Amino acid sequence: MNNLDNQVFLETAEILKVIGHPIRLCILKGLYVEGEKNVTTMQGCLNIPQSTVSQHIGILKNKGIIKGRRNGLEINYSICNEKVIKILETLLKEELI
């Protein structure tokens, strides 16, 4: 295995670790299926405190998996990582989440 392969495996493993959390996976599924959402909308769907949703959004955003778009006072989030989109397509196709 060369250094390039190793780097790809490390990056992919990091993505899988980040999206492997049940709350983050649920957030991503919602964004994938329903499109852009703000934290308040996600919080209502997940039935968890808004602060918890915000923490998980921060992790996903810091890892470059989602991005935010300001709309007045709120920020709407969407998936911006193509690898994650492909992973979600595979998972949803197999109905694992």
Side-chain angles (χ1 to χ4, degrees), residues 29-78:
K29 179 184 177 186
L31 292 174
Y32 178 78
V33 171
E34 299 170 24
E36 259 188 8
K37 291 184 176 214
N38 62 34
V39 172
T40 303
T41 305
M42 289 183 227
Q43 184 263 330
C45 293
L46 294 168
N47 295 316
I48 58 176
Q50 187 169 339
S51 61
T52 303
V53 176
S54 293
Q55 287 176 338
H56 288 284
I57 289 292
I59 292 167
L60 292 167
K61 191 174 174 190
N62 286 338
K63 294 296 183 179
I65 294 172
I66 64 171
K67 64 180 178 179
R69 182 183 60 81
R70 185 164 290 283
N71 183 20
L73 296 176
E74 63 185 31
I75 299 174
N76 293 309
Y77 294 96
S78 61

Side-chain angles (χ1 to χ4, degrees), residues 78-93:
S78 61
I79 302 169
C80 63
N81 185 301
E82 288 300 318
K83 280 187 181 181
V84 172
I85 291 170
K86 288 179 183 185
I87 291 167
L88 291 169
E89 287 171 349
T90 301
L91 292 175
L92 291 171
K93 184 172 115 180

Side-chain angles (χ1 to χ4, degrees), residues 1-12 83:
M1 176 168 53
N2 64 38
N3 286 340
L4 183 58
D5 288 340
N6 193 33
Q7 185 62 32
V8 170
F9 291 144
L10 289 172
E11 290 171 6
T12 302
K83 280 187 181 181

Side-chain angles (χ1 to χ4, degrees), residues 19 21-32 37 42 45-46 88 97:
I19 69 172
H21 190 283
I23 292 174
R24 292 192 286 268
L25 193 54
C26 188
I27 289 169
L28 290 169
K29 179 184 177 186
L31 292 174
Y32 178 78
K37 291 184 176 214
M42 289 183 227
C45 293
L46 294 168
L88 291 169
I97 59 172

